[in-house]
Short mmCIF file of all heavy atoms in Angstrom, two decimals:
data_model
loop_
_atom_site.label_atom_id
_atom_site.label_comp_id
_atom_site.label_asym_id
_atom_site.label_seq_id
_atom_site.Cartn_x
_atom_site.Cartn_y
_atom_site.Cartn_z
N MET A 1 0.80 -1.20 -0.05
CA MET A 1 -0.02 -0.01 0.06
C MET A 1 0.84 1.23 0.00
O MET A 1 0.58 2.22 -0.66
CB MET A 1 -0.91 0.00 1.24
CG MET A 1 -1.86 1.20 1.23
SD MET A 1 -3.19 0.74 2.37
CE MET A 1 -3.74 2.39 2.74
N GLY A 2 1.96 1.22 0.74
CA GLY A 2 2.79 2.41 0.74
C GLY A 2 3.43 2.72 -0.60
O GLY A 2 3.46 3.97 -0.94
N LEU A 3 3.89 1.77 -1.35
CA LEU A 3 4.41 2.04 -2.70
C LEU A 3 3.37 2.67 -3.66
O LEU A 3 3.67 3.55 -4.35
CB LEU A 3 5.07 0.71 -3.27
CG LEU A 3 5.70 0.90 -4.53
CD1 LEU A 3 6.88 1.95 -4.53
CD2 LEU A 3 6.29 -0.48 -5.02
N ASP A 4 2.12 2.10 -3.57
CA ASP A 4 1.06 2.67 -4.40
C ASP A 4 0.84 4.05 -4.11
O ASP A 4 0.68 4.94 -5.07
CB ASP A 4 -0.16 1.79 -4.22
CG ASP A 4 -0.17 0.44 -4.81
OD1 ASP A 4 0.73 0.17 -5.71
OD2 ASP A 4 -1.01 -0.41 -4.37
N ASP A 5 0.85 4.42 -2.87
CA ASP A 5 0.63 5.80 -2.36
C ASP A 5 1.74 6.71 -2.97
O ASP A 5 1.50 7.86 -3.42
CB ASP A 5 0.47 5.95 -0.90
CG ASP A 5 -0.81 5.28 -0.38
OD1 ASP A 5 -1.72 5.17 -1.21
OD2 ASP A 5 -0.83 4.88 0.76
N LYS A 6 2.95 6.20 -2.84
CA LYS A 6 4.11 7.00 -3.26
C LYS A 6 4.08 7.27 -4.72
O LYS A 6 4.32 8.36 -5.19
CB LYS A 6 5.40 6.31 -2.92
CG LYS A 6 5.63 6.34 -1.37
CD LYS A 6 6.94 5.62 -1.10
CE LYS A 6 7.08 5.49 0.48
NZ LYS A 6 8.30 4.71 0.86
N LEU A 7 3.63 6.25 -5.52
CA LEU A 7 3.51 6.38 -6.96
C LEU A 7 2.45 7.36 -7.33
O LEU A 7 2.59 8.20 -8.26
CB LEU A 7 3.31 5.04 -7.63
CG LEU A 7 4.47 4.10 -7.54
CD1 LEU A 7 4.05 2.74 -8.18
CD2 LEU A 7 5.62 4.65 -8.34
N LYS A 8 1.37 7.28 -6.67
CA LYS A 8 0.19 8.21 -6.93
C LYS A 8 0.59 9.65 -6.58
O LYS A 8 0.33 10.60 -7.28
CB LYS A 8 -0.99 7.81 -6.07
CG LYS A 8 -1.77 6.58 -6.54
CD LYS A 8 -2.90 6.26 -5.61
CE LYS A 8 -3.48 4.96 -6.00
NZ LYS A 8 -4.67 4.57 -5.11
N ASN A 9 1.35 9.80 -5.45
CA ASN A 9 1.75 11.13 -5.08
C ASN A 9 2.71 11.75 -6.09
O ASN A 9 2.64 12.92 -6.44
CB ASN A 9 2.43 11.12 -3.74
CG ASN A 9 1.43 10.72 -2.56
OD1 ASN A 9 0.24 10.79 -2.78
ND2 ASN A 9 1.97 10.24 -1.51
N THR A 10 3.66 10.84 -6.59
CA THR A 10 4.63 11.38 -7.57
C THR A 10 3.95 11.70 -8.84
O THR A 10 4.18 12.69 -9.49
CB THR A 10 5.70 10.27 -7.87
OG1 THR A 10 6.34 10.01 -6.52
CG2 THR A 10 6.72 10.73 -8.89
N ALA A 11 2.96 10.89 -9.25
CA ALA A 11 2.16 11.22 -10.45
C ALA A 11 1.39 12.49 -10.23
O ALA A 11 1.39 13.37 -11.19
CB ALA A 11 1.16 10.08 -10.74
N GLU A 12 0.86 12.74 -9.11
CA GLU A 12 0.15 13.95 -8.86
C GLU A 12 1.13 15.19 -9.00
O GLU A 12 0.76 16.23 -9.64
CB GLU A 12 -0.48 14.02 -7.50
CG GLU A 12 -1.27 15.19 -7.19
CD GLU A 12 -2.18 15.04 -5.90
OE1 GLU A 12 -1.72 14.26 -5.02
OE2 GLU A 12 -3.14 15.73 -5.84
N GLU A 13 2.34 15.08 -8.51
CA GLU A 13 3.37 16.12 -8.66
C GLU A 13 3.66 16.37 -10.11
O GLU A 13 3.77 17.51 -10.56
CB GLU A 13 4.63 15.77 -7.90
CG GLU A 13 4.44 15.89 -6.36
CD GLU A 13 5.79 15.60 -5.67
OE1 GLU A 13 6.69 16.36 -5.86
OE2 GLU A 13 5.81 14.59 -4.93
N LYS A 14 3.89 15.30 -10.91
CA LYS A 14 4.20 15.41 -12.38
C LYS A 14 3.08 16.02 -13.10
O LYS A 14 3.30 16.79 -14.03
CB LYS A 14 4.60 14.01 -12.84
CG LYS A 14 5.85 13.45 -12.24
CD LYS A 14 7.03 14.35 -12.46
CE LYS A 14 8.25 13.77 -11.83
NZ LYS A 14 9.39 14.68 -11.84
N ASP A 38 -1.40 21.37 -7.19
CA ASP A 38 -1.26 19.97 -7.30
C ASP A 38 0.13 19.51 -6.89
O ASP A 38 0.22 18.46 -6.15
CB ASP A 38 -1.54 19.47 -8.73
CG ASP A 38 -3.01 19.46 -9.15
OD1 ASP A 38 -3.83 19.73 -8.28
OD2 ASP A 38 -3.31 19.39 -10.35
N GLN A 39 1.14 20.24 -7.26
CA GLN A 39 2.53 19.84 -6.91
C GLN A 39 2.68 19.99 -5.41
O GLN A 39 3.25 19.07 -4.78
CB GLN A 39 3.51 20.81 -7.55
CG GLN A 39 3.67 20.61 -9.03
CD GLN A 39 4.63 21.65 -9.64
OE1 GLN A 39 5.72 21.62 -9.36
NE2 GLN A 39 4.07 22.52 -10.41
N ALA A 40 2.16 20.97 -4.80
CA ALA A 40 2.26 21.13 -3.34
C ALA A 40 1.53 20.02 -2.59
O ALA A 40 2.01 19.52 -1.62
CB ALA A 40 1.76 22.53 -2.91
N LYS A 41 0.37 19.69 -3.09
CA LYS A 41 -0.41 18.63 -2.42
C LYS A 41 0.29 17.26 -2.57
O LYS A 41 0.37 16.56 -1.61
CB LYS A 41 -1.88 18.51 -3.15
CG LYS A 41 -2.77 17.64 -2.42
CD LYS A 41 -4.25 17.81 -2.93
CE LYS A 41 -4.42 17.96 -4.40
NZ LYS A 41 -5.78 17.76 -4.83
N GLY A 42 0.84 17.05 -3.70
CA GLY A 42 1.61 15.72 -3.90
C GLY A 42 2.81 15.75 -3.04
O GLY A 42 3.18 14.68 -2.44
N ALA A 43 3.54 16.85 -2.97
CA ALA A 43 4.70 16.93 -2.05
C ALA A 43 4.40 16.77 -0.59
O ALA A 43 5.11 16.06 0.10
CB ALA A 43 5.48 18.21 -2.28
N LEU A 44 3.28 17.27 -0.19
CA LEU A 44 2.82 17.12 1.24
C LEU A 44 2.49 15.71 1.49
O LEU A 44 2.87 15.16 2.56
CB LEU A 44 1.72 18.07 1.51
CG LEU A 44 1.20 18.18 2.92
CD1 LEU A 44 2.26 18.70 3.85
CD2 LEU A 44 -0.01 19.03 3.00
N LYS A 45 1.79 15.06 0.60
CA LYS A 45 1.50 13.65 0.76
C LYS A 45 2.75 12.82 0.83
O LYS A 45 2.82 11.82 1.56
CB LYS A 45 0.53 13.18 -0.34
CG LYS A 45 -0.93 13.80 -0.24
CD LYS A 45 -1.68 13.29 -1.40
CE LYS A 45 -3.08 13.79 -1.42
NZ LYS A 45 -3.84 13.37 -2.56
N GLN A 46 3.74 13.10 0.00
CA GLN A 46 4.99 12.37 -0.03
C GLN A 46 5.69 12.52 1.30
O GLN A 46 6.19 11.49 1.87
CB GLN A 46 5.95 12.92 -1.10
CG GLN A 46 5.67 12.42 -2.48
CD GLN A 46 5.90 10.93 -2.64
OE1 GLN A 46 5.10 10.07 -2.17
NE2 GLN A 46 6.99 10.55 -3.37
N ALA A 47 5.60 13.69 1.83
CA ALA A 47 6.25 13.91 3.20
C ALA A 47 5.51 13.12 4.29
O ALA A 47 6.22 12.57 5.16
CB ALA A 47 6.14 15.43 3.57
N GLY A 48 4.24 12.97 4.14
CA GLY A 48 3.50 12.12 5.11
C GLY A 48 3.91 10.68 4.98
O GLY A 48 3.96 9.99 5.98
N GLU A 49 4.14 10.25 3.76
CA GLU A 49 4.46 8.82 3.54
C GLU A 49 5.92 8.61 4.18
O GLU A 49 6.20 7.53 4.73
CB GLU A 49 4.57 8.51 2.10
CG GLU A 49 3.18 8.37 1.39
CD GLU A 49 2.42 7.20 1.97
OE1 GLU A 49 2.99 6.13 2.23
OE2 GLU A 49 1.22 7.38 2.12
N LYS A 50 6.77 9.57 4.03
CA LYS A 50 8.17 9.52 4.64
C LYS A 50 8.07 9.38 6.17
O LYS A 50 8.79 8.62 6.76
CB LYS A 50 9.05 10.64 4.21
CG LYS A 50 9.42 10.58 2.72
CD LYS A 50 10.29 11.70 2.27
CE LYS A 50 10.65 11.53 0.82
NZ LYS A 50 11.47 12.70 0.35
N VAL A 51 7.15 10.16 6.73
CA VAL A 51 6.96 10.07 8.17
C VAL A 51 6.44 8.69 8.59
O VAL A 51 6.96 8.13 9.52
CB VAL A 51 6.08 11.18 8.67
CG1 VAL A 51 5.64 10.97 10.13
CG2 VAL A 51 6.66 12.63 8.46
N LYS A 52 5.50 8.15 7.88
CA LYS A 52 4.97 6.84 8.14
C LYS A 52 6.09 5.83 8.06
O LYS A 52 6.15 4.94 8.88
CB LYS A 52 3.80 6.45 7.28
CG LYS A 52 2.54 7.24 7.60
CD LYS A 52 1.26 6.59 6.96
CE LYS A 52 1.30 6.80 5.44
NZ LYS A 52 0.05 6.31 4.82
N ASP A 53 6.92 5.94 7.07
CA ASP A 53 8.02 4.98 6.86
C ASP A 53 9.02 5.06 7.99
O ASP A 53 9.62 4.08 8.41
CB ASP A 53 8.79 5.30 5.51
CG ASP A 53 7.97 4.82 4.28
OD1 ASP A 53 6.91 4.07 4.54
OD2 ASP A 53 8.32 5.24 3.22
N ALA A 54 9.25 6.19 8.53
CA ALA A 54 10.18 6.45 9.61
C ALA A 54 9.71 5.65 10.89
O ALA A 54 10.62 5.27 11.69
CB ALA A 54 10.44 7.88 9.95
#
Side-chain angles (χ1 to χ4, degrees):
M1 185 162 157
L3 183 59
D4 288 341
D5 291 337
K6 289 177 186 176
L7 291 174
K8 287 178 187 176
N9 298 338
T10 300
E12 186 169 23
E13 286 182 63
K14 296 300 179 187
D38 287 349
Q39 289 177 67
K41 191 169 40 170
L44 185 62
K45 288 179 182 178
Q46 280 293 75
E49 288 296 321
K50 289 180 181 179
V51 169
K52 286 195 294 188
D53 288 346

